[in-house]
Amino acid sequence: MVSRSRTRRIASVLAPLATAGLLAGCVAGTSGSGAANTAKPGAVTTDPAQMGQVTLHVLDYFSGGTDDVWMKSVVKAFEKKHPNITVERTSMPWGDAMAALPLKLKSATPPDIVPANYGWQSLGTLVRGGMVLNLDNYAQAYGWKKTFPQWVVNEHEFTTDGKHMGTGSMFGAPVARASLIEVYYNRALLKKTGVEVPRSYDEFQAALGKAEAAGITPVTLGNADKVGITAPLFSLMNAFGPQSKISDFVYSHDNVKIGETGFPQAVSTLKQWSDKGYLGKDYAGTDTADAAQAFVKGQGLFHFNYSGSLPLKPGQSKDFGSFVLPRTDGGKPVATASSATNFSIASKTKHPDAAAAFLDFAAGQEAAELAVHNGTMPLLHPDVKAPEGDPLFSDDVAVAQQISAGGTAVPYLDWATPTLLDTINTNMQNMLAGKSTPKSVVSAADENAAAFMKTLAR
């Protein structure tokens, strides 16, 4: 299984688009663009049988593996239920889809439904450009703002002037699949280390020390590609920082600074882990994929990654488990989480009602059941249960339902600006190599966020 969240972290793919033309080029014509692209009141139809013969064109990045199987099953089920609507998919690798998306939406014949990435890397820019539909009338018609958890709704909201995220109108909708950052553990090595699954932050820290003393790599990590550090960094931030402050920073609410989110403590902790040898001998020269392979082969007690990212072979799942890193204050665990993808509707679509019907179906109960059937984490429907006989998947499903039901999810930190992820990863790599300090990492992130906020105020 390949996590879409893991690939979505590569914000640098979109940074040039946001900073070198798309953002600046579209803002001039966006005065009121969000409101102008809202379906007119009274014009919304939610009964597909009344929509006539329709062909929907969907762009997605589910180009292989379990993701593709799930998407095919959702399309098949939707077409069976609504035989007058045909769904034609175009699937591309994530980076290619994100790079092509703005031009496709500007074309004379854009896709009806697109996978606009969360945050300012993509969706916020498309909102400012008036390229995606304001879905508020559909949200009201289908009851999305009542049935979706508030944290899910916030992840799809922007003000119609494109200046604020996490509030305002819905410009996207989730699918019934979860994706979040968690901690994987090797069951055999946990037993060998002589510890239980950590239920507190102190227990987790103690397990790291015991693993090191036993000659076991405490945390399998690879950061040669500058992205492997993200999962443990975000997890530690969630363990240290107030949940509300993390969300408010990402959404630019109440002038919250990154220093208030637990980010400084997370950076310092990773430096300490590195200095103690907890991250392995050659993590700086190992890339993310190789580190995941090494963990699966038994070369480490813990491994931070995005849900569904372990390169497991059939039968290996029983050897591993997962949990969310406990908080330092003993509160409910907080996870960086989202829907596995979000779909938006092109503002130029000729079939907004049919497109919205598909979005509603992809977020529905049947889509969640199909997710579990295909071995991926469900979202939005807590009554969907994992099948027996797969301990790791059972853990994953339980974690997703725990976070969703408890409302203890936070958005991905890098959504805050188009270039924040690259700034953080580059500065983290320098710090871990001894070329800078934790303070410099925090300062660089703070400066990046402040600079982007100035562009939004123009």
Side-chain angles (χ1 to χ4, degrees):
M1 294 179 286
V2 178
S3 169
R4 297 270 68 83
S5 289
R6 180 162 68 105
T7 51
R8 147 180 325 131
R9 305 280 56 81
I10 309 174
S12 57
V13 171
L14 291 164
L17 294 174
T19 58
L22 178 59
L23 186 59
C26 293
V27 173
T30 60
S31 177
S33 62
N37 288 322
T38 306
K40 295 180 180 179
V44 170
T45 300
T46 58
D47 181 5
Q50 299 179 16
M51 299 176 190
Q53 295 294 320
V54 175
T55 297
L56 286 177
H57 295 275
V58 177
L59 174 66
D60 64 59
Y61 45 72
F62 296 144
S63 56
T66 305
D67 292 324
D68 183 50
V69 174
W70 174 80
M71 188 64 179
K72 285 179 178 177
S73 68
V74 169
V75 169
K76 182 178 179 180
F78 178 78
E79 291 179 332
K80 181 178 180 180
K81 187 174 183 179
H82 308 298
N84 59 308
I85 302 178
T86 299
V87 177
E88 294 186 356
R89 292 174 57 206
T90 299
S91 296
M92 306 171 67
W94 185 86
D96 294 344
M98 293 298 99
L101 187 54
L103 292 178
K104 284 184 175 292
L105 287 170
K106 287 182 177 181
S107 73
T109 56
D112 299 288
I113 297 171
V114 296
N117 191 25
Y118 292 99
W120 292 113
Q121 295 102 316
S122 179
L123 184 54
T125 304
L126 300 177
V127 169
R128 299 191 81 186
M131 288 184 278
V132 290
L133 197 67
N134 183 326
L135 302 179
D136 274 356
N137 285 335
Y138 291 111
Q140 181 177 359
Y142 286 105
W144 291 340
K145 290 191 176 183
K146 294 181 180 179
T147 57
F148 297 163
Q150 187 60 48
W151 65 270
V152 172
V153 173
N154 290 152
E155 291 185 345
H156 298 85
E157 288 183 323
F158 288 85
T159 54
T160 55
D161 61 5
K163 291 187 176 183
H164 301 282
M165 178 171 60
T167 187
S169 298
M170 288 187 71
F171 286 88
V175 299
R177 285 181 51 197
S179 181
L180 51 86
I181 296 176
E182 52 191 339
V183 187
Y184 293 100
Y185 65 92
N186 182 304
R187 294 181 186 274
L189 292 182
L190 193 73
K191 184 177 181 179
K192 182 178 180 180
T193 305
V195 298
E196 302 290 333
V197 177
R199 301 301 178 191
S200 71
Y201 183 79
D202 287 343
E203 288 180 0
F204 183 78
Q205 284 280 31
L208 298 180
K210 289 181 179 180
E212 174 70 11
I216 298 169
T217 300
V219 178
T220 304
L221 176 70
N223 198 46
D225 47 10
K226 296 197 302 184
V227 296
I229 203 71
T230 307
L233 179 64
F234 289 5
S235 291
L236 282 165
M237 179 183 67
N238 297 339
F240 282 103
Q243 179 185 354
S244 61
K245 294 293 186 181
I246 296 171
S247 294
D248 285 345
F249 171 78
V250 175
Y251 294 141
S252 304
H253 294 169
D254 300 328
N255 198 33
V256 172
K257 303 297 183 183
I258 200 167
E260 304 173 65
T261 65
F263 183 77
Q265 296 94 322
V267 173
S268 296
T269 299
L270 277 171
K271 180 64 166 62
Q272 293 168 12
W273 287 0
S274 178
D275 292 344
K276 292 180 179 180
Y278 287 177
L279 305 182
K281 295 180 179 179
D282 190 33
Y283 75 89
T286 303
D287 66 27
T288 307
D290 288 343
Q293 286 283 358
F295 175 72
V296 169
K297 292 179 180 178
Q299 299 174 24
L301 178 59
F302 296 118
H303 177 63
F304 292 81
N305 215 324
Y306 304 93
S307 53
S309 291
L310 291 187
L312 298 173
K313 296 179 181 179
Q316 286 186 308
S317 179
K318 66 181 184 302
D319 299 328
F320 304 93
S322 66
F323 61 94
V324 174
L325 187 66
R327 285 186 53 80
T328 58
D329 61 7
K332 294 180 179 179
V334 173
T336 299
S338 69
S339 166
T341 191
N342 60 315
F343 282 127
S344 295
I345 300 176
S347 59
K348 291 183 179 181
T349 181
K350 296 179 180 178
H351 308 292
D353 291 342
F358 182 81
L359 265 57
D360 186 66
F361 186 84
Q365 177 80 21
E366 187 170 355
E369 292 171 352
L370 288 169
V372 171
H373 178 74
N374 288 291
T376 60
M377 298 169 70
L379 181 67
L380 308 174
H381 303 280
D383 53 331
V384 177
K385 305 298 182 183
E388 296 182 0
D390 190 336
L392 175 57
F393 187 49
S394 294
D395 282 352
D396 285 346
V397 172
V399 164
Q401 293 179 343
Q402 172 193 12
I403 296 301
S404 183
T408 54
V410 293
Y412 285 81
L413 183 69
D414 54 283
W415 295 356
T417 88
T419 56
L420 182 60
L421 182 66
D422 186 60
T423 294
I424 289 174
N425 286 342
T426 298
N427 282 273
M428 283 293 296
Q429 192 174 54
N430 289 336
M431 180 205 69
L432 293 170
K435 299 178 181 179
S436 64
T437 64
K439 184 177 180 180
S440 67
V441 178
V442 178
S443 296
D446 190 47
E447 291 169 5
N448 180 283
F452 182 67
M453 286 301 101
K454 290 181 180 179
T455 69
L456 293 179
R458 294 173 185 168

